Amino acid sequence: MPDLLQIGTITEAMRARLAEAFTIHQLEDYPAERITHIVTNGAVGVPPEVMAAVPNLKVISGYGVGYDAVDVEEAVRRGIVVAHTPNVLNDEVATTAVMLLLACYRELLRDDAHVRSGAWEASGGAALTRTTDNQTVGILGLGRIGQAIARKLAPWNPTILYHSRSPKDVEYTYYDDLVAMAREADVLICITPGGPETHHIVNAEVLEALGPEGTLINVSRGSVVDEAALIAALQNGTLGWAGLDVFEEEPHVPQALRDLPNTVLLPHVGSATVETRAAMGNLTVDNLLQHLKDGKVLTPVPECAHL
Ligand code: NDP
């Protein structure tokens, strides 16, 4: 059986299917020369020293849609196909973004704490919150998930604006300038890929444009937002609220963010439901099994589509 290197965690269902077709090795001890396939998760990717150690690698199958933790340029150079799991998680990640938005606007955590602490009974109802109806929502990255977010927000009757490198064939309003869009938006939702191109594109200027009544939602990658600038903006009132699923140094979350009352924080669970992870796991394995059959994968990343 061909030799597969597992990086990061996989589900039992994935392991069971993979074990029928591959000998599975772990990072602690693997036969570098014999490894032809790697399974990894989107956040961990493939460390450069592992890439360099496996001369016969043919496929990297990622359990996730983001692949900023894999050196795709190097993979293409060596003819290694990188696969990922687009589309099967669109609705789940969109739900996570909407959940964060609702939790910020309606102060879900504050009011939950109000009830649990006994403050309601002791001193009366909680302070008012803000409506999520009729808001202007700026989406940074109107791709597969960005468009799912726009659709999922429809019952709240938003005005949707978006920024990406090129305009899309949609009814929403395109901004080629992120700061200009942030100035118009009540909420900015980040859902671009990570990596050098989007590093800190949400900077102090963007946060200031979003403003004291503004809300930032990040379900993309921690690297997209300048976390130090975000903390400062939330502390000094330049920005109103932030709902974050991703952070710059995961799993480390700065104490300052944890101390702020105007944040809602999640441990990178954008797609983390039983159902969606099962669908992602199946596609991750299907990509590897398909490659054994005919040398192709079902869902290559765009850079590898020609391989
Ligand atoms: P897509 O490739 O479908 O969409 C990405 C969008 O980002 C496109 O609209 C693209 O448009 C835009 N974009 C890319 N680069 C830039 C840039 N430099 N500046 C502005 N816009 C840019 O990806 P998906 O929607 O499938 O996924 C998006 C990302 O979401 C993933 O890469 C991943 O990092 C993250 N993610 C996070 C999850 C979580 O658990 N929190 C789960 C799943 C995904 P254009 O090319 O015109 O710029």
Side-chain angles (χ1 to χ4, degrees):
M1 283 203 284
D3 292 272
L4 172 86
L5 175 62
Q6 178 196 331
I7 303 177
T9 51
I10 59 174
T11 63
E12 272 316 307
M14 290 167 76
R15 180 184 310 286
R17 287 186 68 203
L18 288 170
E20 285 176 16
F22 293 96
T23 304
I24 305 175
H25 302 274
Q26 306 296 321
L27 266 185
E28 295 76 53
D29 179 26
Y30 61 94
E33 297 275 329
R34 296 213 312 266
I35 296 295
T36 50
H37 294 73
I38 285 182
V39 63
T40 183
N41 72 49
V44 180
V46 181
E49 64 276 14
V50 176
M51 276 292 261
V54 286
N56 297 311
L57 184 62
K58 294 180 185 149
V59 181
I60 298 167
S61 184
Y63 175 45
V65 69
Y67 53 96
D68 46 302
V70 174
D71 185 346
V72 176
E73 211 175 296
E74 170 69 0
V76 171
R77 196 186 63 72
R78 286 172 52 185
I80 300 164
V81 183
V82 181
H84 64 158
T85 63
N87 293 318
V88 293
L89 41 56
N90 292 352
D91 276 320
E92 207 66 69
V93 183
T95 297
T96 304
V98 173
M99 176 172 73
L100 283 170
L101 190 160
L102 295 174
C104 285
Y105 265 74
R106 296 298 304 269
E107 300 283 4
L108 182 68
L109 302 186
R110 185 201 72 186
D111 285 359
D112 178 88
H114 192 72
V115 176
R116 283 175 202 275
S117 68
W120 186 20
E121 200 174 350
S123 53
L128 300 182
T129 62
R130 305 169 298 148
T131 186
T132 47
D133 291 329
N134 307 313
Q135 299 298 293
T136 300
V137 179
I139 299 181
L140 168 55
L142 197 76
R144 291 172 292 246
I145 301 171
Q147 295 195 33
I149 293 171
R151 284 195 299 274
K152 230 162 231 209
L153 284 172
W156 287 279
N157 194 35
T159 300
I160 303 279
L161 322 175
Y162 72 101
H163 169 72
S164 50
R165 289 168 301 185
S166 59
K168 314 294 168 204
D169 185 19
V170 292
E171 70 212 53
Y172 315 124
T173 308
Y174 178 66
Y175 279 73
D176 62 5
D177 182 62
L178 178 56
V179 174
M181 182 174 85
R183 216 173 279 128
E184 293 305 312
D186 300 306
V187 189
L188 176 64
I189 302 181
C190 306
I191 188 63
T192 57
E197 271 204 47
T198 55
H199 185 258
H200 287 189
I201 58 174
V202 176
N203 56 19
E205 195 188 358
V206 174
L207 298 172
E208 195 181 342
L210 196 52
E213 296 300 314
T215 301
L216 176 80
I217 304 296
N218 189 8
V219 286
S220 58
R221 285 288 183 263
S223 59
V224 171
V225 176
D226 180 339
E227 204 162 83
L230 175 65
I231 291 168
L234 288 165
Q235 283 174 336
N236 65 27
T238 307
L239 177 70
W241 293 263
L244 308 171
D245 184 44
V246 288
F247 303 87
E248 287 205 61
E249 304 284 341
E250 293 173 13
H252 173 69
V253 176
Q255 190 62 41
L257 273 181
R258 297 197 257 157
D259 288 343
L260 282 161
N262 46 351
T263 57
V264 177
L265 310 174
L266 294 177
H268 200 149
V269 290
S271 65
T273 63
V274 170
E275 296 84 352
T276 296
R277 285 291 169 88
M280 291 163 62
N282 280 335
L283 183 50
T284 307
V285 174
D286 289 347
N287 274 320
L288 290 162
L289 299 184
Q290 188 67 38
H291 191 268
L292 288 185
K293 268 193 212 143
D294 64 4
K296 298 278 177 204
V297 297
L298 302 170
T299 49
V301 303
E303 295 89 334
C304 294
H306 64 287
L307 293 175

